[in-house]
Amino acid sequence: MLKTFTRGGIHPPEEKLSAHTSIQSLPLPAIAIIPVAQHLGAPAKIEINKGDVVKTGQLIARGDGFVSANVHASVSGKVVKIEDVTDVSGYRKPAVIIEVSGDDWLESIIRNEYLDSEIKLTGEEILARITESGIVGLGGATFPSQVKMTIPRGKKVDCLVINGVECEPYLTADHRLMIEKGAEILVGIELLKRAMNVNVAHIGIENNKPDAIRLMHNLVMSHKGIEVHALKIKYPQGAEKQLIKAILNREVPSGGLPVDVGVVAFNVGTVFAIYEAIQKNKPLFERIVTVTGKSLRQPANYKVRIGTPVSLLIQCAGGLPDNTGKIICGGPMMGKTLINADVPIVKGSSGILIIPSGESNRKPVQPCVRCAKCVSVCPMGLEPYLLMPLSEQKIYDRLETEHVMDCMECGSCSYICPANRPLLDFIRLGKLQVGKIIRSRK
Amino acid sequence: MSILYTIVSLSLLGAVSALVLYFVAQKFKVFEDPRIDLVEAELPAANCGGCGYAGCRNLAETMVKAETLEGLYCPVGGNAVMARIAAVLGRDAVAREARIAVLRCNGTCEFRPRINQYDGVSSCAMVSALYGGETGCSYGCLGCGDCVAVCSFDALHMDPFTGLPVVDDMKCTACGSCVKTCPKNLFELRKRWKGEKKIYVACMNKDRGAIAGKNCKVACIGCSKCFKVCPHEAITINNYLAFIDSDKCKLCRKCVTECPTNSIIEFGFPIKKVISESSSLSTQLNQKEE
Amino acid sequence: MSNLLTVSPSPHVGTTQSVNKLMYGVVLSLVPAFLVSVYFFGAGALIVTLISIASCVVFESAIQRFILKSEVRISDGSAIVTGLLLAFNLPSNIPWWMIVIGALFAIGVGKMTYGGLGNNPFNPALVGRVFLLISFPVQMTSWPLPMVSRLQYTDATTGATPLGVLKEAVRNGETVTEVMKQLPDHMQLFLGQMGGSLGEVSAAALLLGFLWLLYKKIITWHIPVFIVTTVFVFTGILWMIDPSKNASPAFHILTGGVLLGAIYMATDLVTSPMTIPGMILFAIGIGVITVVIRVFGAYPEGVSFAILIMNAFVPLINKYLKPSRFGKEVKYV
């Protein structure tokens, strides 16, 4: 019996087109565009000037305040511009633009890829190095890792949960990372155990990655206190609340965080970045990105430098198909559509998905037939059929009592609705307004 | 015979109920200042919220309870209605200058090309929450008509050729609903002149001039030429964007001629400058006048 | 224009299911019952079904087009389902104009006055059926016998349904065991060889349809199973108390509209509760009221009224029986 979360969930077609394509390094771009706000929290403050020559791995912006993260140069070259650049949202945000020349790394970075499993630093040193290296959650949330690792007073953490689930269809970056760098990930887990002073870690992997499950299972045999759990294939198993429920049967309370039930969760990509930061002195400036889509000639997994324009990834994957309707950054359930391919890859970009124009348009909306499918699939136990009209009619106090703020915007309700109703759109709008009202009360 | 019983018993029931209701109504009567009804009768009963209160009755209650009418104003009724209310309540009348809603964007389909297409719920609030819009200017009108839907006076309509909402000056009461609704803050209540004359900067773009101009042909690029030429110090420039204060402006139109991108709109004047043959907003409106 | 990328909010994939597929799935599941009804009741069954479907569709499109002045949406199939289910609640010898009136009431009052698809609190087919029952009680309670008048329509030979016979007999003081000898045996009841409305007679055909609905994930099993179980248990208790006055539970389930109501009418998506506990409560309520009307009430059959009564409770059920939220209480194992 595979473990799973008990409430809701859907089974979209998995489409893991690139699951067996090993990671290739993407060639360097000619220009790298590095935004200073790639994470949740305050944007980093730029510390270099136009005209400076930077090395790969050099700090270019420092985190501003506690909930923030450092940003490092992912390439070497001259800073040609510091200006606002259009990002994923279509709005302009400040970024550092570097004209790439060569690939000159900081001397302190150990460039070889030999496995280094010796842990030489203390817990505090590990935390300091993670902060210094600009590590953020690479699963997509981009929450600064050092903030997550700082346990608030009065709370206790007894185990770590490592997220190797990758429940979004099409995405395979975490899968390939586990297969190719599984040992390194385990060292990263040991580093985290020391930094957070816990002895137990659980790795959750969805059952559609049997090779990764087998590999990780074999690797943990030589590690004490780490377990691998194969999980039932169901979206959104990779959401941290659902992951913790499936593995440990603990429910994070409404409005709370995993630390409230004694757990801190990390994505495998983040763990690998932590390994590199501690063992190789390498700050976060590259990540694995899946480039995929049924119309793409060569779906692949690339190791990409932050700041690379999406167009280069698409070019290496066989070029943009003529009938492209949407370019999505992320997976099909929660990803954001791009307005063009000039947008840069940032720390949270887990995948680029090409959707042909025939599948890009929404179907016509029909009246709600109260089939209750949305209620049965909601992993948080909410009632989307009710939240949508409340949001349309702007009845914000009732929206709040119906717990709209619990919604994690996974999209299961909109996915399953036979009447193609834009449930999640209205719920998101409602959350925005209710969030404003709640903040204005404080 | 049995019909008699029915008639008598039901009539008795009715009479008893009526008596009970009468006494209860008398005993639990809430005293309300009769002046509230009088004031409410003077108000236009639009319940638009333009006064800042919850409906016309709420405003009437507030006016009766307040000592002075200072700070209370019904924009729909205007000075005429406020004068009558002042007379009813025996207080000093308040008068304000008339205002009119103006859309500070002229980014039509011709001037501001689309760079992507949006597929989703057709609501400006929704689009604005998602991204910067279908054009390169993320400050401009999104064209989904949230303002049209919220106007209670039928004063806003979408123009299908320009993709922008048009204010019907005859119907607009400057209640402010469109101002509150527009997620891009494009509406402004400006001073209303005779003949509906208007001069305003039809742009809210705060990008650098080069970028603003690239995305829209009639964007304000913040070149400051209008600021330099204005004899009444009515123009300020902030964040590469000019703003004409309608209370200081004297309608001399020097700025309109100076503006290199034609982003300052003049309306209600005889045509002074030929801009372009086609769909410039002021040319269209002036043509409609003739 | 075709070179522009499309921007839309997530999710970017969706189910292949649609409202039309749900409705047509229901129509398909009713095909076995329809074939059986034609086999037993012949021409009348065909005529009643066709007139009912046609009237419902025509009335819905006319109301949408001329009164509501909105888009005509009969292609979603919901009017066809209402027409089919209304027909299945009628006797096969009912005059055509009564069917038309019933359809007008079902669609016009039962569905469109509330705002069309998705907004009606009561099952429209049952609203039409009950309206006809109250307006034309004689016509609506004379049931053609199976197999005998298959080529006739309004002049088919009629007789009482098994439930009707039972009610009369008990009222006259006969014991149940004596009455049972006059009625068809359990196998005949299961296959449908009895008097009754078009759709209710054949348990076998209805169960086939039920399996199809489950396979296509159009309904869940909870409402039909709990209605049938409640009826079974309640009548079982009564039967054990006094077998001379009460028929066996199996008899109660195989006769009358229990199966038709449980599988098709109570499970109507629009008028049934939104959560599993709500559905279970709804189903138990229907079962109890059905048996109460059958045993203690004046009518021999009570499913239609039971369902309509419970439909009225559905908003209350939805308000209080909400799904259990994730993280409501801290669960720390």
PDB file of all heavy atoms in Angstrom, chain C residues 25-36:
ATOM      1  N   GLY C  25     -24.138  10.875 -21.138  1.00  0.00           N
ATOM      2  CA  GLY C  25     -23.827   9.629 -20.426  1.00  0.00           C
ATOM      3  C   GLY C  25     -25.054   9.102 -19.701  1.00  0.00           C
ATOM      4  O   GLY C  25     -25.312   7.896 -19.666  1.00  0.00           O
ATOM      5  N   VAL C  26     -25.817  10.032 -19.114  1.00  0.00           N
ATOM      6  CA  VAL C  26     -27.052   9.619 -18.439  1.00  0.00           C
ATOM      7  C   VAL C  26     -28.041   9.057 -19.464  1.00  0.00           C
ATOM      8  O   VAL C  26     -28.685   8.023 -19.235  1.00  0.00           O
ATOM      9  CB  VAL C  26     -27.679  10.812 -17.673  1.00  0.00           C
ATOM     10  CG1 VAL C  26     -29.027  10.425 -17.108  1.00  0.00           C
ATOM     11  CG2 VAL C  26     -26.756  11.266 -16.571  1.00  0.00           C
ATOM     12  N   VAL C  27     -28.142   9.738 -20.606  1.00  0.00           N
ATOM     13  CA  VAL C  27     -29.065   9.255 -21.648  1.00  0.00           C
ATOM     14  C   VAL C  27     -28.692   7.838 -22.073  1.00  0.00           C
ATOM     15  O   VAL C  27     -29.541   6.942 -22.163  1.00  0.00           O
ATOM     16  CB  VAL C  27     -29.034  10.215 -22.868  1.00  0.00           C
ATOM     17  CG1 VAL C  27     -29.808   9.613 -24.020  1.00  0.00           C
ATOM     18  CG2 VAL C  27     -29.612  11.564 -22.499  1.00  0.00           C
ATOM     19  N   LEU C  28     -27.401   7.604 -22.270  1.00  0.00           N
ATOM     20  CA  LEU C  28     -26.949   6.271 -22.686  1.00  0.00           C
ATOM     21  C   LEU C  28     -27.265   5.228 -21.640  1.00  0.00           C
ATOM     22  O   LEU C  28     -27.635   4.096 -21.949  1.00  0.00           O
ATOM     23  CB  LEU C  28     -25.435   6.302 -22.904  1.00  0.00           C
ATOM     24  CG  LEU C  28     -25.033   5.882 -24.295  1.00  0.00           C
ATOM     25  CD1 LEU C  28     -24.711   7.112 -25.093  1.00  0.00           C
ATOM     26  CD2 LEU C  28     -23.845   4.967 -24.267  1.00  0.00           C
ATOM     27  N   SER C  29     -27.129   5.615 -20.364  1.00  0.00           N
ATOM     28  CA  SER C  29     -27.344   4.633 -19.302  1.00  0.00           C
ATOM     29  C   SER C  29     -28.815   4.253 -19.215  1.00  0.00           C
ATOM     30  O   SER C  29     -29.160   3.221 -18.639  1.00  0.00           O
ATOM     31  CB  SER C  29     -26.872   5.189 -17.957  1.00  0.00           C
ATOM     32  OG  SER C  29     -27.751   6.201 -17.530  1.00  0.00           O
ATOM     33  N   LEU C  30     -29.685   5.117 -19.781  1.00  0.00           N
ATOM     34  CA  LEU C  30     -31.107   4.816 -19.721  1.00  0.00           C
ATOM     35  C   LEU C  30     -31.571   3.975 -20.903  1.00  0.00           C
ATOM     36  O   LEU C  30     -32.740   3.597 -20.971  1.00  0.00           O
ATOM     37  CB  LEU C  30     -31.908   6.125 -19.664  1.00  0.00           C
ATOM     38  CG  LEU C  30     -31.893   6.786 -18.276  1.00  0.00           C
ATOM     39  CD1 LEU C  30     -32.425   8.204 -18.354  1.00  0.00           C
ATOM     40  CD2 LEU C  30     -32.733   5.986 -17.303  1.00  0.00           C
ATOM     41  N   VAL C  31     -30.682   3.702 -21.829  1.00  0.00           N
ATOM     42  CA  VAL C  31     -31.082   2.925 -23.019  1.00  0.00           C
ATOM     43  C   VAL C  31     -31.604   1.524 -22.668  1.00  0.00           C
ATOM     44  O   VAL C  31     -32.655   1.116 -23.188  1.00  0.00           O
ATOM     45  CB  VAL C  31     -29.925   2.871 -24.040  1.00  0.00           C
ATOM     46  CG1 VAL C  31     -30.153   1.798 -25.076  1.00  0.00           C
ATOM     47  CG2 VAL C  31     -29.761   4.226 -24.708  1.00  0.00           C
ATOM     48  N   PRO C  32     -30.941   0.775 -21.785  1.00  0.00           N
ATOM     49  CA  PRO C  32     -31.520  -0.541 -21.440  1.00  0.00           C
ATOM     50  C   PRO C  32     -32.945  -0.415 -20.917  1.00  0.00           C
ATOM     51  O   PRO C  32     -33.828  -1.167 -21.329  1.00  0.00           O
ATOM     52  CB  PRO C  32     -30.582  -1.072 -20.351  1.00  0.00           C
ATOM     53  CG  PRO C  32     -29.316  -0.346 -20.517  1.00  0.00           C
ATOM     54  CD  PRO C  32     -29.667   1.000 -21.080  1.00  0.00           C
ATOM     55  N   ALA C  33     -33.185   0.538 -20.022  1.00  0.00           N
ATOM     56  CA  ALA C  33     -34.524   0.702 -19.467  1.00  0.00           C
ATOM     57  C   ALA C  33     -35.511   1.082 -20.559  1.00  0.00           C
ATOM     58  O   ALA C  33     -36.660   0.626 -20.566  1.00  0.00           O
ATOM     59  CB  ALA C  33     -34.507   1.772 -18.376  1.00  0.00           C
ATOM     60  N   PHE C  34     -35.040   1.889 -21.511  1.00  0.00           N
ATOM     61  CA  PHE C  34     -35.916   2.293 -22.609  1.00  0.00           C
ATOM     62  C   PHE C  34     -36.289   1.090 -23.466  1.00  0.00           C
ATOM     63  O   PHE C  34     -37.460   0.883 -23.806  1.00  0.00           O
ATOM     64  CB  PHE C  34     -35.218   3.363 -23.463  1.00  0.00           C
ATOM     65  CG  PHE C  34     -36.005   3.773 -24.682  1.00  0.00           C
ATOM     66  CD1 PHE C  34     -37.252   4.360 -24.550  1.00  0.00           C
ATOM     67  CD2 PHE C  34     -35.510   3.551 -25.959  1.00  0.00           C
ATOM     68  CE1 PHE C  34     -37.979   4.737 -25.662  1.00  0.00           C
ATOM     69  CE2 PHE C  34     -36.233   3.928 -27.079  1.00  0.00           C
ATOM     70  CZ  PHE C  34     -37.475   4.515 -26.926  1.00  0.00           C
ATOM     71  N   LEU C  35     -35.297   0.262 -23.783  1.00  0.00           N
ATOM     72  CA  LEU C  35     -35.568  -0.914 -24.614  1.00  0.00           C
ATOM     73  C   LEU C  35     -36.540  -1.852 -23.912  1.00  0.00           C
ATOM     74  O   LEU C  35     -37.487  -2.370 -24.525  1.00  0.00           O
ATOM     75  CB  LEU C  35     -34.259  -1.645 -24.924  1.00  0.00           C
ATOM     76  CG  LEU C  35     -33.277  -0.864 -25.818  1.00  0.00           C
ATOM     77  CD1 LEU C  35     -31.973  -1.613 -25.953  1.00  0.00           C
ATOM     78  CD2 LEU C  35     -33.894  -0.621 -27.189  1.00  0.00           C
ATOM     79  N   VAL C  36     -36.347  -2.032 -22.615  1.00  0.00           N
ATOM     80  CA  VAL C  36     -37.260  -2.899 -21.862  1.00  0.00           C
ATOM     81  C   VAL C  36     -38.664  -2.316 -21.866  1.00  0.00           C
ATOM     82  O   VAL C  36     -39.653  -3.039 -22.014  1.00  0.00           O
ATOM     83  CB  VAL C  36     -36.750  -3.080 -20.408  1.00  0.00           C
ATOM     84  CG1 VAL C  36     -37.817  -3.675 -19.531  1.00  0.00           C
ATOM     85  CG2 VAL C  36     -35.506  -3.933 -20.399  1.00  0.00           C
TER      86      VAL C  36
END
